[in-house]
Amino acid sequence: MSELKEGQKAPSFSAKDQNGNTVTLAQFAGKKVVLYFYPKDDTPGCTAEACDFRDNYQGLTAKGYVVLGVSVDDEKSHHKFITKHNLPFTLLADTDHKIVQAYGVWAEKNMYGKKYMGTVRTTFIIDEEGNIAHIIKKVDTANSTAQVLELGK
């Protein structure tokens, strides 16, 4: 599969959210979407990123953004993560890895010399027409919102 690029149509998807509801990209036509991929619920970097989006959520929605987080964790894990950290946005359970693969963020990783497959932390900003406006590959977990808003100027 070729790497996604800015300006391309964002791959469509359908997944369950933390409450078991089906969510599709098509539901957000006409809105700007912050689609952020993260490795695992309730780990330090992922919590910092989610809490940054939470703490700046009003500012994002005021600028017309919808925030969707995606990881390969299941609905139950997402529900616990949202409840524990009072997250006001939707998390999608990509347990079959279809979305991470469609967006090219499922890749070989290396930790302490051990190779494994996992989600590469990446944020896609999708415009109102469903095209990829920006791709943030070097995500600053503590300042994710600032990165999004800077690109949205």
Side-chain angles (χ1 to χ4, degrees), residues 3 7 16 24 26 29 39 42 45-46 53 56 72 82 87 93-94 96 98 100 119 122 124 128 137-138 140 142-143:
E3 185 178 337
K16 298 286 187 192
T24 66
D42 220 14
C46 299
F53 281 130
N56 296 287
V72 297
I82 285 173
L87 305 178
D94 187 25
D96 59 6
K98 284 184 179 170
V100 291
T119 302
T122 310
F124 291 83
E128 296 88 340
K137 292 185 179 181
K138 293 195 183 325
D140 178 351
N143 297 294

Side-chain angles (χ1 to χ4, degrees), residues 48-64:
E49 185 175 20
C51 290
D52 181 68
F53 281 130
R54 175 199 65 202
D55 295 345
N56 296 287
Y57 187 68
Q58 297 290 338
L60 285 164
T61 58
K63 293 202 180 300

Side-chain angles (χ1 to χ4, degrees), residues 108-144:
E108 185 174 82
K109 297 171 90 174
N110 190 342
M111 191 183 317
Y112 308 119
K114 182 178 170 237
K115 292 187 186 308
Y116 64 98
M117 294 301 288
T119 302
V120 177
R121 187 184 312 278
T122 310
T123 300
F124 291 83
I125 302 170
I126 302 168
D127 68 19
E128 296 88 340
E129 286 80 46
N131 298 313
I132 299 169
H134 301 285
I135 302 171
I136 304 170
K137 292 185 179 181
K138 293 195 183 325
V139 175
D140 178 351
T141 57
N143 297 294
S144 299

